[in-house]
Amino acid sequence: MPTAGHSLDRLVHGLDVHSPLTAGDRQLVREVPHAVREVDPHAYLVREGDAPGICSVLITGFAYRHRSTGDGNRQILSIHIPGDAVDLQHLYLEEADHSVQMLTRGTLAVIARTDFEALAEASLTLRRAIVVAMLVEASIFREWIVNVGRRDARTRLAHLLCELAVRQRAQGLADDNSYDLPMTLEHLADATGLTPVHVSRTLKLLEDDGLLLRSKRRMSFPDWRRLCRSADFTYRFLHLEPHSAEMQR
Amino acid sequence: MPTAGHSLDRLVHGLDVHSPLTAGDRQLVREVPHAVREVDPHAYLVREGDAPGICSVLITGFAYRHRSTGDGNRQILSIHIPGDAVDLQHLYLEEADHSVQMLTRGTLAVIARTDFEALAEASLTLRRAIVVAMLVEASIFREWIVNVGRRDARTRLAHLLCELAVRQRAQGLADDNSYDLPMTLEHLADATGLTPVHVSRTLKLLEDDGLLLRSKRRMSFPDWRRLCRSADFTYRFLHLEPHSAEMQR
DNA sequence: CGTACGTTTGATCTTTCTCAATAATGGTGG
DNA sequence: CCACCATTATTGAGAAAGATCAAACGTACG
């Protein structure tokens, strides 16, 4: 039996951010059988083509979804932070259509598919929360289509930085206007449909404009409001509960 | 009471394509209370910001999801064909993050939110099929991120044409290698993150290469295999059931 | 038959990519 | 603690894909 309780609190919070849980639901989640697993940077959590059998929840560390084109170009599809249940997009499908990989070292809570399904069947509000978590992810995918399809490089990158800031705040993982971004230029390029070279130049532009401050991997935002405007960033697509959205500044 | 039975057969088929239904499920779906509504081209089914109260199923006609950037650029997020339940992405969220609009004249089966939820609660396999339909949509969103982020104009357009062909075949709406595409150059441009001018030139390229034949709005594909290769198109992301996937050629 | 809408084509401009060289950073073993 | 190597980041110059502007041409429909 793993150390029950507090590692799954991350999942409780991750669901609660979008759809409020009852006290009973929280308890049900905390009691789910699960294993805690340490994973290295670059470890694959899912590989395209896999038949999904587990549901992993990120407890610490970052992960990302990606898929490659036939000629070997990678496109990153989303970034995941602690609290995200990384397998929701696969669990009910026959085979994975994309891969999920760790960005950093991290820890997972791993729940067996059957246990997860039992959890979903145990409560209507919990089931609802799980569906909402899936749908919010889909909303973020849609926002990425817009980002990559209709915004210029500068706006695109700023938008990505905003999204990660707000999601981390909502999860209580960042309190001021800064966070550590464990993505290389190549990751950023593959997330925005650009090249690493152009990402480098564009981040420099944002810095020169006083919208971004970098030291090592730490990103901070001297003028959050202006950054949001410059990023064409609005909160709606994240579907945060009002109490989480208060973390907006 | 509406003409029960065969208008909702479209929905039955739309769910069954991805996740097989039991005979009981089919009957449950057919018996759902619903209204049949005729809609004009360009009619809005959902507007960004709306609180969703109904679930519309496309019976005839085409629709599309879209969202606009702050500076007024539109991005189309998906195209919908008969059998698609157009509100699944909203129904469990507080407010719509994007709009859904008719591309053509059409008819809808409109189900009240509460009736739809009751349907979902009535059967485990049906609930599963609804979740799968949501997740397949999300998979298509992901494919669009890849398309717009990492493929050139020619591949992008070819990919879109392939997707629409296969989805229509799986729904039994097209049997040979052709279909009527009710999208203008502007629609195609907004779906692929290009400009109408460049879409025009690029379609011409596809025609010159013998991959596409256009007369009026009818698209046909003289060499389907080669088109798929040229489009970097694979079937995995559509998650079709084997019996639907047989319609592949 | 005229008007609105959609499409095609040409010429030019801009953003982003590509190729290439150099500089910084971070982790590792001595 | 330092030196080394691999990885990541920056910068420059030239090339290319796609955007923009503008005009002409088709087509559908009242």
Side-chain angles (χ1 to χ4, degrees):
Chain A
M1 220 22 192
T3 49
H6 74 306
S7 65
L8 283 178
D9 278 348
R10 278 258 100 95
L11 176 57
V12 168
H13 197 199
L15 293 171
D16 197 50
V17 163
H18 299 117
S19 177
L21 299 178
T22 67
D25 293 336
R26 292 160 187 274
Q27 200 47 41
L28 280 170
V29 173
R30 286 197 200 93
E31 285 166 357
V32 172
H34 66 281
V36 173
R37 185 155 83 92
E38 302 277 332
V39 283
D40 290 333
H42 313 299
Y44 274 87
L45 309 188
V46 180
R47 256 175 219 278
E48 191 179 335
D50 279 0
I54 56 170
C55 180
S56 302
V57 180
L58 258 186
I59 307 302
T60 63
F62 285 66
Y64 64 109
R65 282 176 207 284
H66 59 94
R67 202 169 125 35
S68 292
T69 60
D71 57 345
N73 272 122
R74 180 175 70 169
Q75 175 68 46
I76 292 180
L77 303 165
S78 62
I79 305 296
H80 291 284
I81 65 175
D84 289 349
V86 136
D87 292 309
L88 289 186
Q89 296 292 326
H90 292 115
L91 207 52
Y92 294 90
L93 297 175
E94 300 282 329
E95 62 173 18
D97 52 77
H98 66 276
S99 303
V100 184
Q101 204 172 353
M102 289 301 292
L103 210 43
T104 63
R105 191 173 310 287
T107 62
L108 304 173
V110 180
I111 303 169
R113 182 182 174 144
T114 47
D115 289 323
F116 189 86
E117 289 176 7
L119 183 67
E121 288 306 314
S123 147
L124 179 73
T125 48
L126 196 48
R127 182 149 71 241
R128 174 67 61 98
I130 291 166
V131 167
V132 167
M134 291 172 177
L135 292 180
V136 171
E137 266 202 82
S139 174
I140 297 174
F141 291 141
R142 288 192 291 270
E143 188 69 27
W144 280 45
I145 297 175
V146 177
N147 208 34
V148 162
R150 282 291 182 232
R151 293 203 260 249
D152 65 16
R154 188 192 139 107
T155 315
R156 249 183 249 190
L157 277 163
H159 194 280
L160 177 61
L161 295 176
C162 287
E163 179 196 316
L164 291 173
V166 172
R167 283 172 55 208
Q168 286 187 78
R169 276 184 226 146
Q171 277 281 5
L173 298 167
D175 38 1
D176 56 348
N177 275 329
S178 72
Y179 60 86
D180 283 311
L181 182 69
M183 296 172 77
T184 64
L185 289 181
E186 196 174 353
H187 288 127
L188 289 168
D190 288 344
T192 50
L194 301 167
T195 53
V197 172
H198 199 60
V199 170
S200 174
R201 294 191 223 271
T202 308
L203 287 178
K204 191 158 152 39
L205 278 185
L206 288 173
E207 278 192 297
D208 292 349
D209 281 6
L211 290 174
L212 169 65
L213 241 138
R214 284 181 292 173
S215 66
K216 320 259 170 186
R217 285 286 161 78
R218 187 133 201 114
M219 302 299 211
S220 42
F221 312 109
D223 189 343
W224 175 253
R225 287 254 167 250
R226 195 154 67 84
L227 181 66
C228 284
R229 251 179 285 124
S230 188
D232 190 27
F233 184 85
T234 51
Y235 288 83
R236 174 172 285 156
F237 79 100
L238 289 172
H239 295 279
L240 293 169
E241 281 290 303
H243 69 268
S244 320
E246 273 166 31
M247 312 208 87
Q248 298 168 16
R249 25 202 96 194
Chain B
M1 223 22 195
T3 49
H6 73 304
S7 65
L8 283 179
D9 279 347
R10 279 257 101 93
L11 176 58
V12 168
H13 197 197
L15 292 172
D16 198 50
V17 164
H18 299 117
S19 178
L21 299 179
T22 67
D25 293 336
R26 293 159 187 276
Q27 200 46 41
L28 280 171
V29 172
R30 286 197 199 91
E31 284 167 356
V32 172
H34 66 281
V36 173
R37 187 155 81 93
E38 301 278 333
V39 284
D40 289 333
H42 313 301
Y44 273 88
L45 308 187
V46 179
R47 256 174 218 278
E48 190 179 334
D50 279 0
I54 55 170
C55 180
S56 301
V57 180
L58 258 186
I59 306 302
T60 65
F62 285 65
Y64 64 109
R65 286 175 205 285
H66 60 94
R67 202 172 124 35
S68 291
T69 60
D71 57 346
N73 273 124
R74 180 175 69 167
Q75 175 68 47
I76 291 179
L77 303 165
S78 62
I79 305 294
H80 290 283
I81 65 176
D84 288 349
V86 135
D87 292 309
L88 289 186
Q89 295 292 327
H90 291 116
L91 206 53
Y92 293 90
L93 297 174
E94 300 283 329
E95 60 173 19
D97 53 76
H98 65 276
S99 302
V100 183
Q101 203 171 352
M102 289 302 291
L103 210 42
T104 63
R105 192 172 310 286
T107 61
L108 304 173
V110 180
I111 303 169
R113 181 182 175 144
T114 47
D115 289 322
F116 188 85
E117 289 175 5
L119 183 67
E121 289 306 314
S123 146
L124 179 74
T125 49
L126 196 48
R127 184 150 70 241
R128 173 68 60 99
I130 292 167
V131 166
V132 167
M134 291 173 177
L135 292 180
V136 171
E137 266 202 81
S139 175
I140 297 174
F141 292 141
R142 288 192 291 270
E143 188 69 27
W144 280 45
I145 298 175
V146 176
N147 209 32
V148 162
R150 282 290 182 233
R151 293 202 261 248
D152 65 17
R154 189 192 138 107
T155 316
R156 246 183 253 190
L157 276 164
H159 194 280
L160 176 61
L161 295 175
C162 287
E163 178 195 317
L164 291 173
V166 173
R167 284 173 53 208
Q168 287 184 79
R169 277 187 226 145
Q171 278 282 3
L173 298 167
D175 40 359
D176 55 347
N177 275 328
S178 71
Y179 58 87
D180 282 311
L181 182 69
M183 294 171 78
T184 64
L185 290 181
E186 197 174 352
H187 288 127
L188 289 167
D190 288 343
T192 50
L194 301 167
T195 54
V197 171
H198 199 61
V199 170
S200 174
R201 293 191 224 271
T202 307
L203 287 178
K204 190 158 153 40
L205 278 185
L206 288 173
E207 277 193 298
D208 292 350
D209 280 5
L211 291 175
L212 170 65
L213 242 139
R214 284 179 292 172
S215 68
K216 319 259 171 184
R217 285 288 160 81
R218 186 132 199 115
M219 302 301 210
S220 42
F221 312 109
D223 189 343
W224 175 252
R225 289 254 167 246
R226 196 155 65 84
L227 180 66
C228 285
R229 253 180 285 125
S230 188
D232 190 28
F233 185 85
T234 52
Y235 288 84
R236 174 171 285 157
F237 80 100
L238 289 172
H239 295 278
L240 294 169
E241 280 291 304
H243 69 267
S244 319
E246 273 165 33
M247 313 208 86
Q248 298 169 19
R249 33 197 96 194

